Amino acid sequence: MTFLLLVIAGCASAPAPVEPLPPPASGPRENVAVAGLMESARTDAAAGRLPAAAASLERALRIEPRNPRLWQQLARVRLQQADYAQAESLAARSNSFAGSDAALRAENQRIIDEARAARR
Protein backbone atom coordinates (compact mmCIF):
# COMPACT_ATOMS: atom_id res chain seq x y z
CA MET A 1 0.00 0.00 0.00
CA THR A 2 2.80 2.39 0.92
CA PHE A 3 4.52 1.57 -2.35
CA LEU A 4 1.35 2.34 -4.28
CA LEU A 5 1.03 5.75 -2.57
CA LEU A 6 4.65 6.58 -3.40
CA VAL A 7 4.11 5.66 -7.04
CA ILE A 8 0.95 7.75 -7.26
CA ALA A 9 2.65 10.69 -5.55
CA GLY A 10 5.56 10.43 -7.95
CA CYS A 11 3.20 10.66 -10.93
CA ALA A 12 1.69 13.93 -9.78
CA SER A 13 3.20 16.86 -11.58
CA ALA A 14 4.57 19.76 -9.63
CA PRO A 15 2.95 23.11 -10.32
CA ALA A 16 4.87 25.35 -12.66
CA PRO A 17 6.90 28.00 -10.86
CA VAL A 18 5.15 31.34 -10.75
CA GLU A 19 7.08 34.46 -11.59
CA PRO A 20 7.12 36.85 -8.63
CA LEU A 21 5.37 40.17 -9.07
CA PRO A 22 7.63 43.19 -9.44
CA PRO A 23 7.97 45.20 -6.24
CA PRO A 24 5.48 48.04 -5.93
CA ALA A 25 6.76 51.48 -6.78
CA SER A 26 7.63 53.47 -3.71
CA GLY A 27 5.15 56.24 -2.99
CA PRO A 28 2.06 57.19 -4.92
CA ARG A 29 2.25 57.43 -8.68
CA GLU A 30 2.23 60.95 -9.99
CA ASN A 31 -0.60 61.93 -12.30
CA VAL A 32 0.91 62.92 -15.66
CA ALA A 33 -1.63 65.71 -16.20
CA VAL A 34 -0.94 67.17 -12.75
CA ALA A 35 2.82 66.98 -13.30
CA GLY A 36 2.43 68.83 -16.61
CA LEU A 37 0.22 71.51 -15.09
CA MET A 38 2.64 71.99 -12.21
CA GLU A 39 5.58 72.36 -14.59
CA SER A 40 3.60 74.82 -16.68
CA ALA A 41 2.79 76.79 -13.52
CA ARG A 42 6.47 76.90 -12.52
CA THR A 43 7.46 78.12 -15.96
CA ASP A 44 4.72 80.78 -15.97
CA ALA A 45 5.59 81.96 -12.45
CA ALA A 46 9.28 82.23 -13.31
CA ALA A 47 8.37 84.32 -16.36
CA GLY A 48 6.11 86.59 -14.30
CA ARG A 49 2.89 85.22 -15.78
CA LEU A 50 1.30 84.82 -12.36
CA PRO A 51 -2.37 84.66 -13.47
CA ALA A 52 -1.51 81.84 -15.90
CA ALA A 53 0.47 80.03 -13.18
CA ALA A 54 -2.46 80.29 -10.77
CA ALA A 55 -4.88 79.01 -13.43
CA SER A 56 -2.70 75.94 -14.10
CA LEU A 57 -2.46 75.17 -10.39
CA GLU A 58 -6.20 75.57 -9.91
CA ARG A 59 -6.81 73.10 -12.75
CA ALA A 60 -4.36 70.65 -11.18
CA LEU A 61 -6.16 71.01 -7.85
CA ARG A 62 -9.44 70.02 -9.51
CA ILE A 63 -7.71 66.76 -10.44
CA GLU A 64 -5.89 66.22 -7.12
CA PRO A 65 -7.58 68.33 -4.43
CA ARG A 66 -5.64 66.67 -1.60
CA ASN A 67 -2.16 67.31 -3.03
CA PRO A 68 -0.31 69.48 -0.49
CA ARG A 69 2.41 70.50 -2.98
CA LEU A 70 -0.17 72.01 -5.32
CA TRP A 71 -1.70 74.03 -2.47
CA GLN A 72 1.77 75.20 -1.47
CA GLN A 73 2.69 76.22 -5.00
CA LEU A 74 -0.55 78.19 -5.32
CA ALA A 75 0.22 79.85 -1.97
CA ARG A 76 3.60 80.95 -3.37
CA VAL A 77 1.94 82.41 -6.45
CA ARG A 78 -0.58 84.31 -4.32
CA LEU A 79 2.28 85.61 -2.18
CA GLN A 80 3.99 86.91 -5.32
CA GLN A 81 0.70 88.55 -6.34
CA ALA A 82 0.59 90.31 -2.93
CA ASP A 83 -2.62 88.46 -2.03
CA TYR A 84 -1.33 87.84 1.47
CA ALA A 85 -4.52 86.61 3.11
CA GLN A 86 -5.03 84.06 0.35
CA ALA A 87 -1.37 82.97 0.50
CA GLU A 88 -1.66 82.36 4.24
CA SER A 89 -4.91 80.42 3.83
CA LEU A 90 -3.54 78.25 1.03
CA ALA A 91 -0.35 77.42 2.96
CA ALA A 92 -2.50 76.41 5.93
CA ARG A 93 -4.58 74.19 3.65
CA SER A 94 -1.38 72.61 2.34
CA ASN A 95 -0.46 71.81 5.94
CA SER A 96 -3.80 70.07 6.42
CA PHE A 97 -2.78 67.54 3.74
CA ALA A 98 0.98 67.45 4.48
CA GLY A 99 0.93 64.58 6.95
CA SER A 100 4.36 64.07 8.48
CA ASP A 101 6.31 65.89 5.74
CA ALA A 102 8.34 68.23 7.96
CA ALA A 103 10.05 70.03 5.07
CA LEU A 104 6.72 70.83 3.43
CA ARG A 105 5.28 72.06 6.72
CA ALA A 106 8.35 74.23 7.36
CA GLU A 107 8.06 75.87 3.94
CA ASN A 108 4.34 76.45 4.50
CA GLN A 109 5.15 78.14 7.80
CA ARG A 110 7.69 80.36 6.03
CA ILE A 111 4.98 81.40 3.54
CA ILE A 112 2.52 82.08 6.37
CA ASP A 113 5.08 84.15 8.29
CA GLU A 114 6.01 86.14 5.19
CA ALA A 115 2.34 86.79 4.35
CA ARG A 116 1.59 87.94 7.90
CA ALA A 117 4.62 90.24 7.96
CA ALA A 118 3.65 91.79 4.63
CA ARG A 119 0.11 92.53 5.86
CA ARG A 120 1.37 94.58 8.82
Side-chain angles (χ1 to χ4, degrees):
M1 183 69 148
T2 308
F3 177 72
L4 183 58
L5 289 176
L6 288 175
V7 171
I8 293 173
C11 293
S13 61
V18 177
E19 290 291 318
L21 293 175
S26 61
R29 294 182 187 234
E30 188 172 71
N31 183 308
V32 176
V34 169
L37 288 166
M38 193 160 191
E39 184 57 35
S40 176
R42 285 184 182 135
T43 301
D44 286 338
R49 296 183 299 265
L50 299 177
S56 292
L57 290 166
E58 288 168 352
R59 272 186 285 163
L61 281 164
R62 283 193 289 277
I63 298 168
E64 285 187 9
R66 297 179 57 89
N67 185 325
R69 298 200 184 285
L70 293 173
W71 289 108
Q72 183 183 75
Q73 194 66 27
L74 186 55
R76 284 188 185 126
V77 169
R78 296 300 186 216
L79 190 63
Q80 288 179 285
Q81 291 177 313
D83 189 347
Y84 303 119
Q86 188 72 9
E88 184 179 342
S89 175
L90 293 167
R93 177 156 306 171
S94 174
N95 272 341
S96 73
F97 299 121
S100 62
D101 189 334
L104 187 76
R105 288 179 170 282
E107 179 59 19
N108 285 334
Q109 189 57 52
R110 189 199 64 73
I111 293 169
I112 290 168
D113 292 343
E114 191 173 332
R116 287 178 180 167
R119 284 195 298 181
R120 292 182 187 151

